[in-house]
Amino acid sequence: MQLLLESGDFLARLLQQCANGVAKGSVYALVAVGYTMVYGVLQLINFAHSDVYMLGAYFSYYPARWLGYMPDGAEKPKVPLYVLGLAFAFAVTACACTGMLIERLAYRPLRNASRLAALITAIGVSIFLQNAGQMVFTSEVKSFPRYVDQTSVPLGPIAVANTSLIIVVVAALMVGGLHLFVQRTRTGAAMRACSHDMRTARLMGVNVNATISLTFAIGSAMAAVGGMLIAMDQPRLTPTMGLLMGLKAFVAAVLGGIGSIPGAALGGLLLGVAESVVGTWNTTYADAVAFVALIVVLLVKPSGILGKAGREKV
Amino acid sequence: MLRTAGILAAGLAAAFALNLLVANAIPPYPALVINLCGISIILAVSLNVINGLTGQFSLGHAGFMAIGAYVSAYFTTTLRYFDPEAARYISQAPLLDGLWGFPLALMAGGIAAAVAGLVVGIPTLRLKGDYLAIATLGFGEIVTILLANFRQVGGTKGLTSIPGHADTFWIYGAASVCITFSLFFQRSTFGRALIAIRENELAAEVMGIGAARMKVIAFIYGAFFAGIAGGLFAHLMLSISPANFGFMKSVEVVVMLVLGGLGSMTGAVVGAVILTILPEALRDIEREVNLSGLRMALYALILILLMLFRPQGIFGQRELSLKLLRRLVPGRRKESP
């Protein structure tokens, strides 16, 4: 009986960790989508993507702070709901524009250059954004105002924070919506065409430049949403917050099969759950999980879980 | 062979002379920068064998450097003769110390890194291009995370009070050895084989080159010298922590290569020197305007502009040779590449 109880306890703890992992993984998935889309179209690891995610967090932080007010006697500022909407919209738009701007200024001139040159440029843009971020936002840690009071929602044997639920729902809607957009609309078809064969797509009348711009805009907007959701859950903003997140999200994209949107979602969730489960034993090793998983996947099935060896991308 | 020995002798003599100069006539801060330049040269030249000659894209050089740094520093600081019967340390002095201990500790670091290169190289070198880059990046991250978790080597704080054995002579001596070996390597049949793999792996295989084996050997070679560079770094800075060997360090070395011209040993040396001095020079500007982050932002901007306007780097794949000098200097004829 005792044993049963203990094992039941263990199971509950495991479930709890899985639930936390799903929330974490949803954010990975949101960021991973951007990597996977850009790689699908340009075969470029867009290192700057992780910094767009960082910008997303900051771009929503400033409006939320400026527009929020401090009620008498309260300890923390109060942020009305419409302000949140504004902050959200501002951050998404600003990040989408940043993404397009990066593509236009840094990547487009190199589209026919060697892939190494493009990769180094991407790394350069990433370093630039991080340090420009440090110049503008300073390196001190900023706390995002808590606009949603954290409560825990009982869910069967486990309890989940309401913010985690919001993250999962928002991420699922966004990624699902994007998948439908890519599969069902004409613009989505143009994106798929570009990823299959850019030259032929151009011959068929697809505006390749506009499509690539759109790919960057969508990917960046998704990263911005990821940044805001993280800011809501763990309100610690630093200019280098994108570095590890970017690496892990990229791992998630490779894990699921780079170029595939459902793959990025799956990879993100798997990675989040694996990290949380390992984190129950040793929190410090949790960061290594992603990279071990990466190397194993690359060795066993380099095209990823949902990736096909052929040219199935975006 | 004679030529190789000549280059090596010249390099060692130059290292000796530079050491005298640095020890007697140069203030500590510029001296440190000069020493760091030497370490960067070793890193860049050794990575050039992997990335430049063989055309494999490794983004994990800092991982090998970390292994070399930690192993050699562990030998010169922590590890001591232990008497199991008396259950105490026999000597207070570290196992490897002094005039002969330091080079042995360096070698130990280099060998440990080379073994890591072998262990990582065999499975990952089946991968190509971006995938290899990501796998080696993952390796580098795993190394730093593991080091941050080993209490024996100080966890995230790292190792401290490492003896300052690495003077200019050691650093530039090691750099001369690395450059000489790499040049020899480049001109040998083996180097030709590596270049053939870079240009067209399939064609190289058809010509009877065992590409997999060659790539692993190049990887081990690069890892060994990265380990040596790490050991020198540890004994120059006197304290090391996992944060010294992060992803950005690997990127820095790749950028040095690309700036100088991927595949050119001269380029690797020039790139290493420029990119070690540049951030230090920019540091003054940053202090002047008091805006932290400006230094690296400018650095990144220069990198991006370089890629946009001269993606092949300063030297391309050419080497600085007497022939090139002769063509440039006396007649002042128009340069024809």
PDB file of all heavy atoms in Angstrom, chain A residues 39 115-116 119 121 123-124 127-128 131 134-135 250 258 284 294 298-299, chain B residues 57 123 126-127 130-131 134 149 248 251 262 292-294 296-297 300 307:
ATOM      1  N   TYR A  39      14.664  28.490 -42.666  1.00  0.00           N
ATOM      2  CA  TYR A  39      15.560  27.464 -43.196  1.00  0.00           C
ATOM      3  C   TYR A  39      14.932  26.774 -44.394  1.00  0.00           C
ATOM      4  O   TYR A  39      15.594  26.472 -45.377  1.00  0.00           O
ATOM      5  CB  TYR A  39      15.917  26.425 -42.118  1.00  0.00           C
ATOM      6  CG  TYR A  39      17.102  25.599 -42.527  1.00  0.00           C
ATOM      7  CD1 TYR A  39      18.385  25.984 -42.168  1.00  0.00           C
ATOM      8  CD2 TYR A  39      16.948  24.456 -43.314  1.00  0.00           C
ATOM      9  CE1 TYR A  39      19.480  25.257 -42.582  1.00  0.00           C
ATOM     10  CE2 TYR A  39      18.041  23.726 -43.725  1.00  0.00           C
ATOM     11  CZ  TYR A  39      19.306  24.130 -43.359  1.00  0.00           C
ATOM     12  OH  TYR A  39      20.394  23.422 -43.774  1.00  0.00           O
ATOM     13  N   ARG A 115      26.938  30.133 -48.783  1.00  0.00           N
ATOM     14  CA  ARG A 115      26.086  29.986 -47.608  1.00  0.00           C
ATOM     15  C   ARG A 115      26.846  30.322 -46.342  1.00  0.00           C
ATOM     16  O   ARG A 115      26.263  30.765 -45.363  1.00  0.00           O
ATOM     17  CB  ARG A 115      25.530  28.571 -47.557  1.00  0.00           C
ATOM     18  CG  ARG A 115      24.467  28.376 -48.610  1.00  0.00           C
ATOM     19  CD  ARG A 115      23.979  26.971 -48.661  1.00  0.00           C
ATOM     20  NE  ARG A 115      23.472  26.525 -47.376  1.00  0.00           N
ATOM     21  CZ  ARG A 115      23.200  25.259 -47.114  1.00  0.00           C
ATOM     22  NH1 ARG A 115      23.396  24.355 -48.029  1.00  0.00           N
ATOM     23  NH2 ARG A 115      22.739  24.908 -45.943  1.00  0.00           N
ATOM     24  N   LEU A 116      28.162  30.123 -46.383  1.00  0.00           N
ATOM     25  CA  LEU A 116      28.970  30.475 -45.214  1.00  0.00           C
ATOM     26  C   LEU A 116      28.882  31.975 -44.940  1.00  0.00           C
ATOM     27  O   LEU A 116      28.712  32.406 -43.799  1.00  0.00           O
ATOM     28  CB  LEU A 116      30.419  30.058 -45.433  1.00  0.00           C
ATOM     29  CG  LEU A 116      31.328  30.350 -44.250  1.00  0.00           C
ATOM     30  CD1 LEU A 116      30.952  29.467 -43.077  1.00  0.00           C
ATOM     31  CD2 LEU A 116      32.777  30.151 -44.617  1.00  0.00           C
ATOM     32  N   LEU A 119      25.691  32.756 -43.352  1.00  0.00           N
ATOM     33  CA  LEU A 119      25.645  32.282 -41.970  1.00  0.00           C
ATOM     34  C   LEU A 119      26.409  33.227 -41.045  1.00  0.00           C
ATOM     35  O   LEU A 119      25.941  33.590 -39.958  1.00  0.00           O
ATOM     36  CB  LEU A 119      26.242  30.875 -41.896  1.00  0.00           C
ATOM     37  CG  LEU A 119      26.041  30.133 -40.584  1.00  0.00           C
ATOM     38  CD1 LEU A 119      24.582  29.809 -40.381  1.00  0.00           C
ATOM     39  CD2 LEU A 119      26.864  28.856 -40.554  1.00  0.00           C
ATOM     40  N   THR A 121      26.997  36.341 -41.586  1.00  0.00           N
ATOM     41  CA  THR A 121      26.223  37.572 -41.477  1.00  0.00           C
ATOM     42  C   THR A 121      25.117  37.424 -40.441  1.00  0.00           C
ATOM     43  O   THR A 121      24.888  38.328 -39.634  1.00  0.00           O
ATOM     44  CB  THR A 121      25.609  37.933 -42.837  1.00  0.00           C
ATOM     45  OG1 THR A 121      26.641  37.906 -43.797  1.00  0.00           O
ATOM     46  CG2 THR A 121      24.979  39.297 -42.803  1.00  0.00           C
ATOM     47  N   ILE A 123      25.112  35.512 -37.866  1.00  0.00           N
ATOM     48  CA  ILE A 123      25.729  35.574 -36.543  1.00  0.00           C
ATOM     49  C   ILE A 123      26.056  37.024 -36.193  1.00  0.00           C
ATOM     50  O   ILE A 123      25.823  37.485 -35.066  1.00  0.00           O
ATOM     51  CB  ILE A 123      26.994  34.694 -36.497  1.00  0.00           C
ATOM     52  CG1 ILE A 123      26.606  33.217 -36.622  1.00  0.00           C
ATOM     53  CG2 ILE A 123      27.772  34.918 -35.212  1.00  0.00           C
ATOM     54  CD1 ILE A 123      27.778  32.267 -36.729  1.00  0.00           C
ATOM     55  N   GLY A 124      26.563  37.764 -37.196  1.00  0.00           N
ATOM     56  CA  GLY A 124      26.878  39.171 -36.974  1.00  0.00           C
ATOM     57  C   GLY A 124      25.650  39.964 -36.583  1.00  0.00           C
ATOM     58  O   GLY A 124      25.695  40.769 -35.644  1.00  0.00           O
ATOM     59  N   ILE A 127      24.822  39.206 -32.964  1.00  0.00           N
ATOM     60  CA  ILE A 127      25.692  39.905 -32.002  1.00  0.00           C
ATOM     61  C   ILE A 127      25.322  41.384 -31.956  1.00  0.00           C
ATOM     62  O   ILE A 127      25.263  42.001 -30.892  1.00  0.00           O
ATOM     63  CB  ILE A 127      27.183  39.746 -32.380  1.00  0.00           C
ATOM     64  CG1 ILE A 127      27.562  38.278 -32.450  1.00  0.00           C
ATOM     65  CG2 ILE A 127      28.074  40.451 -31.374  1.00  0.00           C
ATOM     66  CD1 ILE A 127      28.983  38.053 -32.947  1.00  0.00           C
ATOM     67  N   PHE A 128      25.043  41.938 -33.142  1.00  0.00           N
ATOM     68  CA  PHE A 128      24.699  43.360 -33.203  1.00  0.00           C
ATOM     69  C   PHE A 128      23.439  43.651 -32.386  1.00  0.00           C
ATOM     70  O   PHE A 128      23.403  44.567 -31.578  1.00  0.00           O
ATOM     71  CB  PHE A 128      24.500  43.798 -34.655  1.00  0.00           C
ATOM     72  CG  PHE A 128      24.073  45.223 -34.774  1.00  0.00           C
ATOM     73  CD1 PHE A 128      24.991  46.244 -34.602  1.00  0.00           C
ATOM     74  CD2 PHE A 128      22.755  45.547 -35.026  1.00  0.00           C
ATOM     75  CE1 PHE A 128      24.600  47.559 -34.678  1.00  0.00           C
ATOM     76  CE2 PHE A 128      22.344  46.857 -35.110  1.00  0.00           C
ATOM     77  CZ  PHE A 128      23.278  47.871 -34.933  1.00  0.00           C
ATOM     78  N   ASN A 131      23.933  43.499 -28.622  1.00  0.00           N
ATOM     79  CA  ASN A 131      24.677  44.598 -28.024  1.00  0.00           C
ATOM     80  C   ASN A 131      23.983  45.925 -28.208  1.00  0.00           C
ATOM     81  O   ASN A 131      24.058  46.788 -27.337  1.00  0.00           O
ATOM     82  CB  ASN A 131      26.103  44.620 -28.568  1.00  0.00           C
ATOM     83  CG  ASN A 131      26.892  43.455 -28.020  1.00  0.00           C
ATOM     84  OD1 ASN A 131      27.307  43.479 -26.880  1.00  0.00           O
ATOM     85  ND2 ASN A 131      27.036  42.413 -28.802  1.00  0.00           N
ATOM     86  N   GLN A 134      21.719  45.961 -25.515  1.00  0.00           N
ATOM     87  CA  GLN A 134      22.366  46.343 -24.260  1.00  0.00           C
ATOM     88  C   GLN A 134      22.542  47.860 -24.185  1.00  0.00           C
ATOM     89  O   GLN A 134      22.399  48.461 -23.124  1.00  0.00           O
ATOM     90  CB  GLN A 134      23.707  45.644 -24.164  1.00  0.00           C
ATOM     91  CG  GLN A 134      24.203  45.544 -22.745  1.00  0.00           C
ATOM     92  CD  GLN A 134      25.562  44.903 -22.674  1.00  0.00           C
ATOM     93  OE1 GLN A 134      25.984  44.221 -23.595  1.00  0.00           O
ATOM     94  NE2 GLN A 134      26.251  45.130 -21.589  1.00  0.00           N
ATOM     95  N   MET A 135      22.835  48.476 -25.343  1.00  0.00           N
ATOM     96  CA  MET A 135      22.998  49.923 -25.356  1.00  0.00           C
ATOM     97  C   MET A 135      21.687  50.623 -25.059  1.00  0.00           C
ATOM     98  O   MET A 135      21.634  51.605 -24.318  1.00  0.00           O
ATOM     99  CB  MET A 135      23.534  50.375 -26.726  1.00  0.00           C
ATOM    100  CG  MET A 135      25.029  50.250 -26.861  1.00  0.00           C
ATOM    101  SD  MET A 135      25.562  50.063 -28.557  1.00  0.00           S
ATOM    102  CE  MET A 135      24.930  51.495 -29.344  1.00  0.00           C
ATOM    103  N   PHE A 250      16.155  26.244 -31.964  1.00  0.00           N
ATOM    104  CA  PHE A 250      16.691  25.706 -33.209  1.00  0.00           C
ATOM    105  C   PHE A 250      16.837  24.190 -33.116  1.00  0.00           C
ATOM    106  O   PHE A 250      16.510  23.461 -34.056  1.00  0.00           O
ATOM    107  CB  PHE A 250      18.036  26.348 -33.548  1.00  0.00           C
ATOM    108  CG  PHE A 250      18.542  25.886 -34.863  1.00  0.00           C
ATOM    109  CD1 PHE A 250      17.931  26.300 -36.024  1.00  0.00           C
ATOM    110  CD2 PHE A 250      19.576  24.980 -34.945  1.00  0.00           C
ATOM    111  CE1 PHE A 250      18.356  25.831 -37.245  1.00  0.00           C
ATOM    112  CE2 PHE A 250      20.010  24.507 -36.157  1.00  0.00           C
ATOM    113  CZ  PHE A 250      19.398  24.936 -37.316  1.00  0.00           C
ATOM    114  N   ILE A 258      13.646  19.867 -39.840  1.00  0.00           N
ATOM    115  CA  ILE A 258      13.690  21.275 -40.197  1.00  0.00           C
ATOM    116  C   ILE A 258      12.960  21.512 -41.513  1.00  0.00           C
ATOM    117  O   ILE A 258      13.039  20.713 -42.438  1.00  0.00           O
ATOM    118  CB  ILE A 258      15.138  21.802 -40.217  1.00  0.00           C
ATOM    119  CG1 ILE A 258      15.141  23.311 -40.168  1.00  0.00           C
ATOM    120  CG2 ILE A 258      15.923  21.297 -41.401  1.00  0.00           C
ATOM    121  CD1 ILE A 258      16.234  23.874 -39.351  1.00  0.00           C
ATOM    122  N   THR A 284      20.473  21.502 -13.234  1.00  0.00           N
ATOM    123  CA  THR A 284      21.560  22.082 -14.029  1.00  0.00           C
ATOM    124  C   THR A 284      21.830  21.287 -15.293  1.00  0.00           C
ATOM    125  O   THR A 284      22.319  21.830 -16.271  1.00  0.00           O
ATOM    126  CB  THR A 284      22.837  22.202 -13.202  1.00  0.00           C
ATOM    127  OG1 THR A 284      22.937  21.068 -12.368  1.00  0.00           O
ATOM    128  CG2 THR A 284      22.840  23.460 -12.388  1.00  0.00           C
ATOM    129  N   LEU A 294      19.956  16.718 -29.623  1.00  0.00           N
ATOM    130  CA  LEU A 294      20.323  17.185 -30.960  1.00  0.00           C
ATOM    131  C   LEU A 294      21.312  16.229 -31.622  1.00  0.00           C
ATOM    132  O   LEU A 294      21.111  15.781 -32.755  1.00  0.00           O
ATOM    133  CB  LEU A 294      20.958  18.566 -30.842  1.00  0.00           C
ATOM    134  CG  LEU A 294      21.625  19.088 -32.113  1.00  0.00           C
ATOM    135  CD1 LEU A 294      20.565  19.531 -33.088  1.00  0.00           C
ATOM    136  CD2 LEU A 294      22.575  20.203 -31.814  1.00  0.00           C
ATOM    137  N   LEU A 298      20.675  13.917 -34.875  1.00  0.00           N
ATOM    138  CA  LEU A 298      21.465  14.125 -36.090  1.00  0.00           C
ATOM    139  C   LEU A 298      22.132  12.824 -36.528  1.00  0.00           C
ATOM    140  O   LEU A 298      22.308  12.575 -37.717  1.00  0.00           O
ATOM    141  CB  LEU A 298      22.522  15.201 -35.859  1.00  0.00           C
ATOM    142  CG  LEU A 298      22.000  16.625 -35.808  1.00  0.00           C
ATOM    143  CD1 LEU A 298      23.128  17.592 -35.570  1.00  0.00           C
ATOM    144  CD2 LEU A 298      21.273  16.970 -37.100  1.00  0.00           C
ATOM    145  N   LEU A 299      22.510  12.008 -35.547  1.00  0.00           N
ATOM    146  CA  LEU A 299      23.189  10.769 -35.907  1.00  0.00           C
ATOM    147  C   LEU A 299      22.218   9.712 -36.390  1.00  0.00           C
ATOM    148  O   LEU A 299      22.505   8.948 -37.306  1.00  0.00           O
ATOM    149  CB  LEU A 299      23.984  10.234 -34.711  1.00  0.00           C
ATOM    150  CG  LEU A 299      25.135  11.139 -34.290  1.00  0.00           C
ATOM    151  CD1 LEU A 299      25.877  10.540 -33.138  1.00  0.00           C
ATOM    152  CD2 LEU A 299      26.076  11.373 -35.461  1.00  0.00           C
TER     153      LEU A 299
ATOM    154  N   PHE B  57      32.576  22.559 -41.473  1.00  0.00           N
ATOM    155  CA  PHE B  57      32.245  23.758 -40.709  1.00  0.00           C
ATOM    156  C   PHE B  57      32.092  23.413 -39.240  1.00  0.00           C
ATOM    157  O   PHE B  57      31.057  22.933 -38.815  1.00  0.00           O
ATOM    158  CB  PHE B  57      30.996  24.419 -41.266  1.00  0.00           C
ATOM    159  CG  PHE B  57      30.814  25.813 -40.761  1.00  0.00           C
ATOM    160  CD1 PHE B  57      31.843  26.729 -40.865  1.00  0.00           C
ATOM    161  CD2 PHE B  57      29.642  26.204 -40.176  1.00  0.00           C
ATOM    162  CE1 PHE B  57      31.705  28.011 -40.392  1.00  0.00           C
ATOM    163  CE2 PHE B  57      29.486  27.487 -39.706  1.00  0.00           C
ATOM    164  CZ  PHE B  57      30.520  28.390 -39.819  1.00  0.00           C
ATOM    165  N   PRO B 123      31.608  10.069 -34.999  1.00  0.00           N
ATOM    166  CA  PRO B 123      30.191  10.066 -35.381  1.00  0.00           C
ATOM    167  C   PRO B 123      29.753  11.290 -36.186  1.00  0.00           C
ATOM    168  O   PRO B 123      29.015  11.173 -37.149  1.00  0.00           O
ATOM    169  CB  PRO B 123      29.463  10.003 -34.040  1.00  0.00           C
ATOM    170  CG  PRO B 123      30.424  10.537 -33.051  1.00  0.00           C
ATOM    171  CD  PRO B 123      31.782  10.207 -33.552  1.00  0.00           C
ATOM    172  N   ARG B 126      30.044  12.342 -40.280  1.00  0.00           N
ATOM    173  CA  ARG B 126      29.157  11.860 -41.336  1.00  0.00           C
ATOM    174  C   ARG B 126      28.235  12.984 -41.790  1.00  0.00           C
ATOM    175  O   ARG B 126      27.640  12.926 -42.856  1.00  0.00           O
ATOM    176  CB  ARG B 126      28.298  10.717 -40.813  1.00  0.00           C
ATOM    177  CG  ARG B 126      29.067   9.434 -40.572  1.00  0.00           C
ATOM    178  CD  ARG B 126      28.093   8.313 -40.380  1.00  0.00           C
ATOM    179  NE  ARG B 126      27.120   8.677 -39.338  1.00  0.00           N
ATOM    180  CZ  ARG B 126      25.931   8.132 -39.237  1.00  0.00           C
ATOM    181  NH1 ARG B 126      25.546   7.235 -40.103  1.00  0.00           N
ATOM    182  NH2 ARG B 126      25.101   8.483 -38.276  1.00  0.00           N
ATOM    183  N   LEU B 127      28.111  13.989 -40.912  1.00  0.00           N
ATOM    184  CA  LEU B 127      27.199  15.089 -41.235  1.00  0.00           C
ATOM    185  C   LEU B 127      27.914  16.108 -42.098  1.00  0.00           C
ATOM    186  O   LEU B 127      29.130  16.214 -42.091  1.00  0.00           O
ATOM    187  CB  LEU B 127      26.738  15.755 -39.937  1.00  0.00           C
ATOM    188  CG  LEU B 127      26.054  14.819 -38.957  1.00  0.00           C
ATOM    189  CD1 LEU B 127      25.941  15.479 -37.606  1.00  0.00           C
ATOM    190  CD2 LEU B 127      24.691  14.438 -39.475  1.00  0.00           C
ATOM    191  N   ASP B 130      25.645  22.671 -42.655  1.00  0.00           N
ATOM    192  CA  ASP B 130      24.971  23.245 -41.502  1.00  0.00           C
ATOM    193  C   ASP B 130      24.806  22.241 -40.382  1.00  0.00           C
ATOM    194  O   ASP B 130      24.939  22.567 -39.217  1.00  0.00           O
ATOM    195  CB  ASP B 130      23.579  23.733 -41.905  1.00  0.00           C
ATOM    196  CG  ASP B 130      23.654  24.902 -42.843  1.00  0.00           C
ATOM    197  OD1 ASP B 130      24.737  25.491 -42.939  1.00  0.00           O
ATOM    198  OD2 ASP B 130      22.638  25.218 -43.474  1.00  0.00           O
ATOM    199  N   TYR B 131      24.502  20.993 -40.747  1.00  0.00           N
ATOM    200  CA  TYR B 131      24.234  20.003 -39.711  1.00  0.00           C
ATOM    201  C   TYR B 131      25.479  19.727 -38.888  1.00  0.00           C
ATOM    202  O   TYR B 131      25.418  19.568 -37.673  1.00  0.00           O
ATOM    203  CB  TYR B 131      23.709  18.707 -40.336  1.00  0.00           C
ATOM    204  CG  TYR B 131      22.270  18.823 -40.749  1.00  0.00           C
ATOM    205  CD1 TYR B 131      21.898  18.915 -42.077  1.00  0.00           C
ATOM    206  CD2 TYR B 131      21.268  18.846 -39.784  1.00  0.00           C
ATOM    207  CE1 TYR B 131      20.578  19.034 -42.443  1.00  0.00           C
ATOM    208  CE2 TYR B 131      19.942  18.960 -40.139  1.00  0.00           C
ATOM    209  CZ  TYR B 131      19.598  19.060 -41.477  1.00  0.00           C
ATOM    210  OH  TYR B 131      18.282  19.180 -41.823  1.00  0.00           O
ATOM    211  N   ILE B 134      25.907  22.619 -36.512  1.00  0.00           N
ATOM    212  CA  ILE B 134      25.028  22.564 -35.339  1.00  0.00           C
ATOM    213  C   ILE B 134      25.487  21.489 -34.370  1.00  0.00           C
ATOM    214  O   ILE B 134      25.458  21.668 -33.158  1.00  0.00           O
ATOM    215  CB  ILE B 134      23.580  22.260 -35.739  1.00  0.00           C
ATOM    216  CG1 ILE B 134      23.129  23.175 -36.878  1.00  0.00           C
ATOM    217  CG2 ILE B 134      22.665  22.443 -34.575  1.00  0.00           C
ATOM    218  CD1 ILE B 134      22.012  22.556 -37.644  1.00  0.00           C
ATOM    219  N   ASN B 149      29.070  21.832 -14.082  1.00  0.00           N
ATOM    220  CA  ASN B 149      28.463  20.941 -13.104  1.00  0.00           C
ATOM    221  C   ASN B 149      29.461  20.099 -12.330  1.00  0.00           C
ATOM    222  O   ASN B 149      29.078  19.407 -11.390  1.00  0.00           O
ATOM    223  CB  ASN B 149      27.459  20.016 -13.793  1.00  0.00           C
ATOM    224  CG  ASN B 149      26.137  20.711 -13.992  1.00  0.00           C
ATOM    225  OD1 ASN B 149      25.477  21.048 -13.032  1.00  0.00           O
ATOM    226  ND2 ASN B 149      25.787  20.974 -15.232  1.00  0.00           N
ATOM    227  N   MET B 248      30.077  32.000 -28.026  1.00  0.00           N
ATOM    228  CA  MET B 248      30.630  33.190 -28.666  1.00  0.00           C
ATOM    229  C   MET B 248      32.126  33.059 -28.940  1.00  0.00           C
ATOM    230  O   MET B 248      32.642  33.635 -29.887  1.00  0.00           O
ATOM    231  CB  MET B 248      30.378  34.430 -27.796  1.00  0.00           C
ATOM    232  CG  MET B 248      28.981  34.983 -27.871  1.00  0.00           C
ATOM    233  SD  MET B 248      28.402  35.230 -29.551  1.00  0.00           S
ATOM    234  CE  MET B 248      29.599  36.410 -30.120  1.00  0.00           C
ATOM    235  N   VAL B 251      32.496  31.261 -32.114  1.00  0.00           N
ATOM    236  CA  VAL B 251      32.147  32.165 -33.205  1.00  0.00           C
ATOM    237  C   VAL B 251      33.304  33.108 -33.507  1.00  0.00           C
ATOM    238  O   VAL B 251      33.666  33.324 -34.664  1.00  0.00           O
ATOM    239  CB  VAL B 251      30.876  32.969 -32.853  1.00  0.00           C
ATOM    240  CG1 VAL B 251      30.646  34.080 -33.846  1.00  0.00           C
ATOM    241  CG2 VAL B 251      29.680  32.055 -32.809  1.00  0.00           C
ATOM    242  N   LEU B 262      39.196  32.357 -45.557  1.00  0.00           N
ATOM    243  CA  LEU B 262      39.108  30.950 -45.184  1.00  0.00           C
ATOM    244  C   LEU B 262      40.021  30.126 -46.074  1.00  0.00           C
ATOM    245  O   LEU B 262      39.945  30.211 -47.288  1.00  0.00           O
ATOM    246  CB  LEU B 262      37.653  30.503 -45.327  1.00  0.00           C
ATOM    247  CG  LEU B 262      37.231  29.253 -44.589  1.00  0.00           C
ATOM    248  CD1 LEU B 262      37.432  29.433 -43.100  1.00  0.00           C
ATOM    249  CD2 LEU B 262      35.771  28.978 -44.877  1.00  0.00           C
ATOM    250  N   SER B 292      27.804  50.992 -22.694  1.00  0.00           N
ATOM    251  CA  SER B 292      28.228  49.593 -22.728  1.00  0.00           C
ATOM    252  C   SER B 292      27.458  48.847 -23.811  1.00  0.00           C
ATOM    253  O   SER B 292      26.259  49.060 -24.009  1.00  0.00           O
ATOM    254  CB  SER B 292      28.019  48.955 -21.359  1.00  0.00           C
ATOM    255  OG  SER B 292      26.934  48.093 -21.390  1.00  0.00           O
ATOM    256  N   GLY B 293      28.159  48.005 -24.543  1.00  0.00           N
ATOM    257  CA  GLY B 293      27.541  47.298 -25.650  1.00  0.00           C
ATOM    258  C   GLY B 293      27.988  47.848 -26.994  1.00  0.00           C
ATOM    259  O   GLY B 293      27.954  47.160 -28.003  1.00  0.00           O
ATOM    260  N   LEU B 294      28.454  49.116 -26.980  1.00  0.00           N
ATOM    261  CA  LEU B 294      28.863  49.766 -28.230  1.00  0.00           C
ATOM    262  C   LEU B 294      29.989  48.995 -28.917  1.00  0.00           C
ATOM    263  O   LEU B 294      29.993  48.793 -30.123  1.00  0.00           O
ATOM    264  CB  LEU B 294      29.324  51.187 -27.931  1.00  0.00           C
ATOM    265  CG  LEU B 294      29.787  51.982 -29.142  1.00  0.00           C
ATOM    266  CD1 LEU B 294      28.613  52.267 -30.050  1.00  0.00           C
ATOM    267  CD2 LEU B 294      30.447  53.281 -28.733  1.00  0.00           C
ATOM    268  N   MET B 296      30.913  45.755 -28.888  1.00  0.00           N
ATOM    269  CA  MET B 296      30.562  44.556 -29.629  1.00  0.00           C
ATOM    270  C   MET B 296      29.590  44.860 -30.767  1.00  0.00           C
ATOM    271  O   MET B 296      29.557  44.167 -31.767  1.00  0.00           O
ATOM    272  CB  MET B 296      29.974  43.497 -28.699  1.00  0.00           C
ATOM    273  CG  MET B 296      30.974  42.894 -27.749  1.00  0.00           C
ATOM    274  SD  MET B 296      32.440  42.253 -28.579  1.00  0.00           S
ATOM    275  CE  MET B 296      31.780  40.756 -29.302  1.00  0.00           C
ATOM    276  N   ALA B 297      28.782  45.912 -30.603  1.00  0.00           N
ATOM    277  CA  ALA B 297      27.864  46.274 -31.677  1.00  0.00           C
ATOM    278  C   ALA B 297      28.660  46.735 -32.891  1.00  0.00           C
ATOM    279  O   ALA B 297      28.367  46.352 -34.032  1.00  0.00           O
ATOM    280  CB  ALA B 297      26.906  47.365 -31.209  1.00  0.00           C
ATOM    281  N   ALA B 300      30.248  43.756 -34.511  1.00  0.00           N
ATOM    282  CA  ALA B 300      29.291  43.015 -35.331  1.00  0.00           C
ATOM    283  C   ALA B 300      29.024  43.733 -36.644  1.00  0.00           C
ATOM    284  O   ALA B 300      28.921  43.115 -37.706  1.00  0.00           O
ATOM    285  CB  ALA B 300      27.991  42.822 -34.559  1.00  0.00           C
ATOM    286  N   MET B 307      31.189  40.956 -44.714  1.00  0.00           N
ATOM    287  CA  MET B 307      30.529  39.884 -45.457  1.00  0.00           C
ATOM    288  C   MET B 307      29.819  40.426 -46.692  1.00  0.00           C
ATOM    289  O   MET B 307      29.758  39.787 -47.732  1.00  0.00           O
ATOM    290  CB  MET B 307      29.514  39.177 -44.562  1.00  0.00           C
ATOM    291  CG  MET B 307      30.114  38.202 -43.609  1.00  0.00           C
ATOM    292  SD  MET B 307      30.962  36.871 -44.470  1.00  0.00           S
ATOM    293  CE  MET B 307      32.637  37.288 -44.200  1.00  0.00           C
TER     294      MET B 307
END
